[in-house]
Amino acid sequence: MSTAAAPARQLDPGSTAEINQAARALLAEFGTSATSPRLLERVAGTAASLGDGVRHHCRPVDTEDGLFVLRGLTVDDASAGPTPAGWASAGDSGAVHDLTLLLLATVMGNPIAWEGQQNGRFVHNIVPSPGHEAEQTGASSSVLLSPHTEDAFHPGRAHLLMLGCMRNHDRIATTAASIRRVRLSDEDVALLSRPVLPILPDDAYAQAQGYADEAPVPVPVLHTADEGLTLRFDPAYTPLEQAGEDWRAAYGRLEDELARVATAVSLDPGEVLVVDNDLVVHGRVPFTARYDGTDRWLKRASVRVPGRATRPPAEDAEHGYGQQALEAHVR
Ligand SMILES: [Fe+2]
């Protein structure tokens, strides 16, 4: 896997100061990063008042890598407090960084949350959690988190995924692979552009267990948008054994290509990885969690970009397995 440096955008000190001050003012006013309609409204107003420097650094992903690392923000390790033992106990840990991420997400588009994930919070804590080591969710550690599209099962999934680093003493890498870097034959692209198999909700959706009521919807893996190929990919939640041999072989070649072009991004505290969720699949290398308050800790935000035409129109009719994406701002 390549460890070539990911494209970076360095915030200037003025923009950094502006973001920090805005996040601190929001926390002082609300005392929590738990989202209420009033907080979201205030975030929207504050985000709209941020200067051109911040806005410029938050412009759309503009390389074939489909991602960038935003640099310049900082996290003070001591005042961040210990890495929470799980999202459920994280509460307001690192709350000012939640608000920082929410502000940046709002500059980039419309942040979303899920009723069935992390109590509907708009910024999630990604920390290893005892008992979940081998899952294919962000709470895992000991297994390779295989490359996937975030919330691939749902038509309301994010266009952009943001991972803000709070702590990463062991420099555990996030992996990323862009569909724009793979080489596939026209035949394979045609095969994988057909809706053959469904993608089912992942284990992080506690309330989705009742989705048996909803008939699984076959969806295409690849889509040719005006701007180029996009993908929707989550092998761990795709019943691959139900497909024919030719299709499975093409899917295998796509997996191999994604592995070939994958890069490893190891984030430092304060850095924010922004991934285009229509171009890039992301994952994580395995690691051994210590559960002593010093484990890797990321903040995650998901963003919809209004008007983005990167997906097949047929997605609009999907039921989403009873899950509802909550959008922060009505535009
Ligand atoms: Fe993910």
Side-chain angles (χ1 to χ4, degrees):
M1 187 175 321
S2 160
T3 51
R9 297 183 187 177
Q10 179 73 44
L11 283 163
D12 56 282
S15 297
T16 306
E18 201 184 358
I19 295 164
N20 286 340
Q21 197 181 15
R24 278 197 302 268
L26 286 164
L27 187 59
E29 181 178 350
F30 290 88
T32 176
S33 62
T35 32
S36 58
R38 212 165 62 80
L39 172 64
L40 289 171
E41 198 184 312
R42 190 58 58 93
V43 167
T46 305
S49 74
L50 293 171
D52 289 343
V54 176
R55 217 157 289 287
H56 179 67
H57 286 101
C58 292
R59 70 191 181 278
V61 173
D62 52 8
T63 71
E64 298 284 279
D65 296 304
L67 55 79
F68 63 87
V69 176
L70 191 65
R71 297 210 171 109
L73 297 165
T74 52
V75 173
D76 179 62
D77 195 69
S79 56
T83 299
W87 69 261
S89 60
D92 271 334
S93 307
V96 75
H97 302 286
D98 293 343
L99 294 166
T100 300
L101 208 57
L102 199 53
L103 277 167
L104 293 171
T106 305
V107 175
M108 293 186 198
N110 202 356
I112 60 169
W114 302 89
E115 273 167 7
Q117 233 199 105
Q118 301 210 5
N119 290 334
R121 285 184 88 117
F122 279 76
V123 177
H124 294 165
N125 288 284
I126 308 295
V127 292
S129 201
H132 298 265
E133 287 83 356
E135 272 179 10
Q136 283 294 312
T137 73
S140 72
S141 50
S142 64
V143 290
L144 178 84
L145 185 55
S146 49
H148 60 279
T149 303
E150 192 72 355
D151 298 322
F153 73 97
H154 203 284
R157 68 190 175 284
H159 294 106
L160 298 174
L161 172 70
M162 305 174 70
L163 295 173
C165 182
M166 294 290 292
R167 176 172 289 135
N168 190 12
H169 290 176
D170 307 301
R171 300 194 58 78
I172 295 151
T174 300
T175 63
S178 169
I179 191 65
R180 301 282 168 85
R181 296 270 183 227
V182 308
R183 284 187 231 124
L184 283 177
S185 68
D186 293 348
E187 291 76 24
D188 283 352
V189 171
L191 266 177
L192 296 171
S193 297
R194 288 189 205 143
V196 171
L197 294 179
I199 302 176
L200 303 169
D202 72 51
D203 295 337
Y205 287 85
Q207 294 167 12
Q209 301 311 330
Y211 71 76
D213 309 349
E214 313 272 10
V217 186
V219 298
V221 176
L222 298 179
H223 174 64
T224 306
D226 287 347
E227 59 168 76
L229 268 187
T230 59
L231 90 167
R232 182 178 185 183
F233 181 83
D234 196 348
Y237 294 94
T238 304
L240 295 170
E241 70 287 351
Q242 293 174 14
E245 216 171 287
D246 287 358
W247 190 92
R248 274 206 317 248
Y251 195 93
R253 285 189 287 274
L254 171 61
E255 275 188 303
D256 290 347
E257 274 295 291
L258 289 169
R260 182 181 68 81
V261 304
T263 57
V265 184
S266 170
L267 295 174
D268 284 325
E271 292 184 337
V272 179
L273 172 64
V274 180
V275 164
D276 187 320
N277 199 37
D278 290 323
L279 264 60
V280 169
V281 289
H282 64 280
R284 191 216 57 239
V285 301
F287 66 101
T288 305
R290 288 183 294 266
Y291 304 127
D292 63 353
T294 68
D295 281 320
R296 176 181 183 259
W297 180 12
L298 302 181
K299 299 277 187 185
R300 174 176 66 196
S302 296
V303 184
R304 297 274 296 179
V305 179
R308 185 110 195 263
T310 37
R311 299 173 184 173
E315 283 199 16
D316 295 346
E318 290 177 22
H319 50 60
Y321 300 89
Q323 289 296 301
Q324 201 65 39
L326 313 167
E327 300 209 10
H329 312 298
V330 180
R331 297 193 183 197

